[in-house]
Amino acid sequence: MTTADAPHHTVRICTIAGSDSGGGAGIQADLKTFLALGAYGLSAITALTAQNTRGVQGIHYPPVEFLRQQLKSVTNDIAIDGWKIGMLGNEEITSAVEEELKRIRASQVSRQSVPIVLDPVMVSTSGSVLLSDDAIDSIVTRLLPLCTLLTPNLPEAEKIIAHIQEQQQHKTGRNDLVGARLETGFKTLASRLRAARYLTEHGPEAVLLKGGHEPMRRADLNEQLETLGLRPTLSAPSSQDEYDSLSAGCSVTESSSQRDMAKITCIRADSTPYSLFLRSLTQQGGVRGESQDLVMVDVLYDRVHDEYTIFVTGQVSRSCTHGTGCTLSSALAVHLAQQQWRQREQRPIADALRLATWKSINYVHAAIIRGYEDLGSGPGALDHGVSVQRRGVLTSTAPGLLEHEDLHECSATLQVEVGKSLGQDPAPFTTSLLSRSLPLWNRYIGHPFVLALAQPGALREGQNRTTVLTSNTIQRLPLPLQSFLYYLKQDYHFLLAFSKVYSLASSLSRDFQLAGFFNTLSKSMALEAAEHVSLCTTYFGMTSVVDLDKEEEGTAVIAYTRYVMDLARGGGDLITILTATMPCLLGYADMALLLQNELTRLGRSSFASENSASDPLDRGLRVWLDGYLSEEYRNTAQAGVALLEGMIARDPPSPLKMERLQAVWNKAVGLEIALWDECLQFSDFQSTTKTHSYMGGGSS
Ligand SMILES: Cc1ncc(COP(=O)(O)O)c(N)n1
């Protein structure tokens, strides 16, 4: 049978856990997760809890024989593809589960081993004890050797390790862990790596040590990663396509090194916008609920391949985290079982365990972000259905963007879900586009044309350039005046074309608010053009708009503006049109911040050199840059991003549409780069072929 003919198999996952009457954790969370991730869910209930968001009011254990009966009924009839074990309660139940699983395994010798994920539930988030002390020994001696993956949080890992050490000390009369002593608290990354590996020595094939109880400072983590030889890289993981679309709003970086011969990989999804501008919005408090500084660090150790994976995600400060452990282990059971089936169908998966873990972490993260914070009077629960609504990117209702003034005025209908704050990223769609085109974006905003403006002597007469600078060469030379004048003239045409594009978009809008908003954008292009003319005549030696118009549109401007115009004229949808114009709107806000940072880095407060403080060119450049740093421009850019994010929130793109939008974005960024390339090349061309006149004289 070929891969294409392989019938789809819905994996059957059985949870052995307690019931949570409040619906947030235990069996209820497990079954919701199974359904949400495309599995068929079954259950064997170990305990009944009377529970709500405030806590656990009572626990009832049915006779253990009844648990055995549930497991027998289920397995006598249905072939289970994966197990998840949660709350066990006491020693008697733990032992019974081990015996039943061994019996089931023995009767299924012909089948490939079925993954067992063990979440060693001990205490509920609300503080109730869900495992008696005497059961820890059974978990360690009976269940750890049976399980594929153990998923303790830090306090649970600490308890299990302490128990193992105590037992060993008891047996040998000494602590034979001297030298490899495991420190408590797991404040350091190294201690987490050691603990994860240590736990696998006692049975499980792999351990996922969840770091949620002890977030780390991003700077500390970076330092510790550096010590391990893990430097952040900007490349996406090789198997990017495999990564779930839920993670599309995250930036993923992967880097590897070795430790004690074991390979270590770090997968990071903790950076909020790469865009300087979006980051500056975030720092102004645009995001509710996200800590800029703290990150969650989970460590996976895979004993079979002797590999560590460190997963870093941004900390989401939302209170609806009840049931996260149950949900994560259930998601892991589903993903591991699904991957085993794919492998059985001759569709091999690279990094199966790592991928299953990454998908599961992302699912939980998304379910927290969309969780029910106001369920009861205590901490709320996750939205397990987050994955059912297939979308290419998580959408945001972060108030920092959607409550933008202009948007209130012009587009009240876009106030989707405002007030039901999601926290995290103010612009997940834009961030996703950015993070998936990062090298291209950096080539754009950090273009040699921009960096050359920061160099002392930029726009001076008489510079002879002997090298052709392209966006691939590092620019340390000042920008020639001709380049900048050519750019100003091209930009004039550009603004006119964009003004028309926004008018076209307005004509395609289905309501007054949206039409009005695109009109506002169109008008802001006209205002920018007027300022542009005044800038050119006041500082750059042009006499009127006629001078600006004299230079014909260059290839790059024609390419970008006609590309966008074609999208609009072809009746393209507004999301696509706005996605195509966003690199301009957002890119100039970014470019301005980058150029200002570059000036500061070079120790220059402004463009003027010490002996030419009053040069009109320097002042002109300052006015030009200040325009893009101004409140007014920031507001326009912010409103543009908010508009786009609002439209995405209302009409979330499918993964396929997301790919198309990404292609549009990439094309537009590439066309912006081409414009600055052309401006640089223009000056080289000019310096050898033309005499340029500026303010009545001078040549280059
Ligand atoms: C039946 C049951 N199982 C597990 C948990 C742990 O979940 P949490 O730590 O989120 O309270 C719980 N509260 N109830």
Side-chain angles (χ1 to χ4, degrees), residues 629-648:
L629 291 171
S630 70
E631 201 56 32
E632 215 176 338
Y633 189 80
R634 289 175 69 85
N635 283 343
T636 307
Q638 190 179 341
V641 174
L643 179 67
L644 184 56
E645 295 290 338
M647 292 201 290
I648 290 286

Side-chain angles (χ1 to χ4, degrees), residues 145-219:
L146 279 186
C147 76
T148 317
L149 177 61
L150 175 73
T151 63
N153 58 33
L154 297 178
E156 288 160 356
E158 204 164 324
K159 264 205 161 160
I160 296 173
I161 289 169
H163 180 82
I164 296 172
Q165 292 187 330
E166 239 175 69
Q167 291 306 104
Q168 285 181 339
Q169 213 168 356
H170 195 66
K171 254 193 251 159
T172 60
R174 67 189 177 87
N175 188 343
D176 59 357
L177 291 166
V178 182
R181 234 194 130 63
L182 295 160
E183 59 267 53
T184 51
F186 301 112
K187 295 244 183 294
T188 66
L189 187 56
S191 68
R192 292 186 194 185
L193 294 176
R194 264 198 297 275
R197 175 180 251 179
Y198 178 76
L199 284 168
T200 61
E201 286 162 14
H202 296 85
E205 284 174 28
V207 167
L208 175 65
L209 184 59
K210 300 175 294 187
H213 283 72
E214 191 71 59
M216 290 174 91
R217 286 193 45 233
R218 201 189 303 262

Side-chain angles (χ1 to χ4, degrees), residues 344-647:
R344 223 174 292 171
E345 290 159 1
Q346 315 292 307
R347 292 185 286 169
I349 295 182
D351 301 336
L353 180 60
R354 178 182 302 164
L355 187 58
T357 311
W358 176 237
K359 282 179 156 189
S360 305
I361 289 175
N362 268 303
Y363 168 65
V364 172
H365 196 82
I368 295 174
I369 288 177
R370 294 195 81 89
Y372 303 99
E373 228 163 14
D374 51 0
L375 192 62
S377 53
L382 317 192
D383 176 2
H384 292 91
V386 67
S387 63
V388 177
Q389 195 181 352
R390 290 291 293 166
R391 51 184 76 195
V393 66
L394 278 178
T395 52
S396 169
T397 58
L401 281 175
L402 287 189
E403 280 173 7
H404 190 277
E405 242 175 62
D406 288 354
L407 205 57
H408 265 305
E409 241 174 56
C410 304
S411 201
T413 54
L414 295 181
Q415 300 295 307
V416 193
E417 295 181 65
V418 165
K420 209 176 143 203
S421 158
L422 293 182
Q424 189 67 351
D425 192 334
F429 173 68
T430 315
T431 303
S432 169
L433 294 170
L434 267 168
S435 61
R436 295 169 99 199
S437 65
L438 198 58
L440 197 65
W441 185 257
N442 286 341
R443 270 177 58 203
Y444 166 36
I445 67 159
H447 196 282
F449 178 92
V450 176
L451 297 181
L453 283 168
Q455 291 298 320
L459 311 195
R460 289 289 163 275
E461 283 298 301
Q463 294 155 21
N464 254 324
R465 308 182 66 93
T466 50
T467 49
V468 174
L469 290 165
T470 69
S471 52
N472 294 325
T473 58
I474 294 170
Q475 167 66 300
R476 292 213 179 75
L477 295 170
L479 190 81
L481 179 62
Q482 312 92 293
S483 268
F484 196 68
L485 292 179
Y486 178 73
Y487 162 74
L488 287 176
K489 291 172 182 175
Q490 291 304 312
D491 200 37
Y492 179 73
H493 293 298
F494 194 96
L495 289 169
L496 180 61
F498 260 55
S499 176
K500 291 188 213 168
V501 166
Y502 288 132
S503 293
L504 266 172
S506 168
S507 73
L508 293 170
S509 303
R510 289 217 191 95
D511 57 60
F512 279 115
Q513 285 96 345
L514 213 51
F517 194 78
F518 277 114
N519 269 334
T520 311
L521 278 178
S522 175
K523 249 190 279 166
S524 76
M525 295 293 113
L527 287 177
E528 203 181 318
E531 276 166 21
H532 202 82
V533 173
S534 127
L535 178 82
C536 291
T537 49
T538 313
Y539 302 102
F540 293 103
M542 297 175 210
T543 48
S544 72
V545 69
V546 179
D547 275 353
L548 276 160
D549 222 4
K550 237 186 255 162
E551 184 77 54
E552 284 185 9
E553 275 180 304
T555 316
V557 164
I558 293 175
Y560 188 12
T561 57
R562 298 320 185 272
Y563 173 68
V564 182
M565 206 90 86
D566 276 356
L567 290 176
R569 287 221 173 99
D573 68 294
L574 295 178
I575 288 180
T576 306
I577 298 168
L578 206 52
T579 301
T581 57
M582 197 50 69
C584 170
L585 211 54
L586 183 62
Y588 273 67
D590 253 11
M591 172 282 294
L593 289 168
L594 182 104
L595 180 51
Q596 187 55 53
N597 287 351
E598 182 67 2
L599 282 172
T600 312
R601 193 182 68 80
L602 295 173
R604 309 181 67 204
S605 56
S606 195
F607 293 101
S609 53
E610 273 166 40
N611 46 13
S612 65
S614 61
D615 192 309
L617 292 175
D618 292 330
R619 280 188 277 129
L621 210 45
R622 184 73 251 173
V623 173
W624 175 78
L625 177 60
D626 282 346
Y628 294 111
L629 291 171
S630 70
E631 201 56 32
E632 215 176 338
Y633 189 80
R634 289 175 69 85
N635 283 343
T636 307
Q638 190 179 341
V641 174
L643 179 67
L644 184 56
E645 295 290 338
M647 292 201 290

Side-chain angles (χ1 to χ4, degrees), residues 18-20 25-26 49 51 87 121 123-126 130 321-324 326:
S19 152
D20 168 6
T49 70
Q51 197 173 165
M87 174 183 172
V121 174
V123 180
S124 74
T125 314
S126 53
L130 302 177
T321 53
H322 171 52
T324 45
C326 307

Side-chain angles (χ1 to χ4, degrees), residues 85 93 101 108 117 156 158 162 171-172 267 352 403 415 487 522-523 561 601 657 660 662 672 685-686 694:
I85 307 174
I93 297 173
L101 284 176
Q108 291 178 330
V117 180
E156 288 160 356
E158 204 164 324
K171 254 193 251 159
T172 60
I267 298 189
E403 280 173 7
Q415 300 295 307
Y487 162 74
S522 175
K523 249 190 279 166
T561 57
R601 193 182 68 80
K657 176 82 191 278
R660 290 204 190 114
Q662 184 74 52
E672 283 281 14
F685 176 68
Q686 292 297 299
Y694 154 68

